[in-house]
């Protein structure tokens, strides 16, 4: 089944000029970009996006990081999109990420890990709608 996931290229990757390289890996893995924008999340929006982690000890650090510079948000389409994209990005901590994954190549640490990937079809739909209206999805 063809379906969709949502991704963000995080501020650390934007700062390092890794956006193009990450998008190339995403395309090479067979994902079609059906929506994309570069934007800067304020602390309010970043906090809202990661609200599920509000009680976690790293929440403050996460919100500060995600709002420190521009991100690129995108919706991606592919068969088995959510699971396959999580495989492509690799483990949350790049020290545990497999060879060939985006985080292995571009992430610096568990906090500054270059990319976000939705963890379920339901969250992919919610997260995609957070950034894009229907007219912005192709
Ligand atoms: P994401 O949701 O961004 O794709 P993930 O699903 O691999 O990442 P989550 O457990 O959802 O991991 O954590 C969300 C984000 O919070 C991580 O990507 C990372 O930026 C940050 N984070 C997670 N654990 C820690 C930690 N122990 N210390 C600092 N930051 C963390
Ligand atoms: Mg997550």
């Amino acid at each position: 089944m063809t379906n969709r996931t949502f991704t963000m290229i995080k501020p650390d990757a934007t700062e390092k000029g890794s956006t193009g390289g990450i998008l190339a890996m995403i395309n090479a893995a067979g994902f079609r970009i059906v929506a994309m924008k570069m934007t800067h999340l304020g602390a309010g929006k970043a906090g809202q996006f990661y609200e599920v982690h509000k009680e976690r000890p790293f929440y403050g650090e996460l919100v500060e990081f995600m709002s420190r510079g521009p991100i690129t948000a995108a919706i991606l389409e592919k068969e088995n999109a959510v699971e396959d994209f999580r495989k492509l990005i690799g483990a949350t901590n790049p020290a545990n990420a497999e060879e060939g994954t985006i985080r292995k190549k571009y992430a610096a640490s568990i906090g500054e890990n270059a990319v976000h990937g939705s963890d379920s079809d339901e969250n992919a739909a919610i997260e995609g709608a957070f950034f894009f209206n229907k007219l912005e999805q192709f």
Side-chain angles (χ1 to χ4, degrees):
M1 194 186 89
T2 300
N3 59 15
R4 292 179 172 198
T5 190
F6 171 80
T7 187
M8 269 192 285
I9 297 172
K10 298 185 180 183
D12 59 326
T14 308
E15 285 160 11
K16 292 174 187 161
S18 304
T19 305
I22 291 171
L23 290 173
M25 283 181 78
I26 289 171
N27 278 150
F31 292 87
R32 192 169 77 86
I33 296 167
V34 299
M36 187 163 70
K37 70 171 73 157
M38 191 170 183
T39 185
H40 189 162
L41 296 173
K45 284 281 182 203
Q48 212 183 322
F49 185 86
Y50 279 114
E51 201 142 36
V52 287
H53 296 308
K54 204 156 65 186
E55 306 307 326
R56 308 278 284 276
F58 57 81
Y59 181 69
E61 189 188 321
L62 176 60
V63 170
E64 194 179 320
F65 162 57
M66 287 303 297
S67 57
R68 105 176 163 212
I71 59 97
T72 297
I75 297 175
L76 307 174
E77 190 174 80
K78 186 186 177 294
E79 209 174 283
N80 203 30
V82 168
E83 198 187 335
D84 285 3
F85 192 69
R86 296 289 302 197
K87 276 190 205 137
L88 177 64
I89 68 179
T92 307
N93 186 344
N96 304 325
E98 281 179 40
E99 234 17 273
T101 62
I102 292 175
R103 282 170 170 164
K104 178 74 181 181
K105 185 161 184 194
Y106 292 107
S109 66
I110 191 169
E112 304 204 0
N113 59 8
V115 281
H116 163 82
S118 303
D119 58 15
S120 66
D121 286 344
E122 190 194 358
N123 284 335
I126 293 168
E127 292 169 1
F130 187 87
F131 284 89
F132 302 100
N133 66 40
K134 285 275 178 254
L135 290 172
E136 296 169 316
Q137 300 182 33
F138 299 95

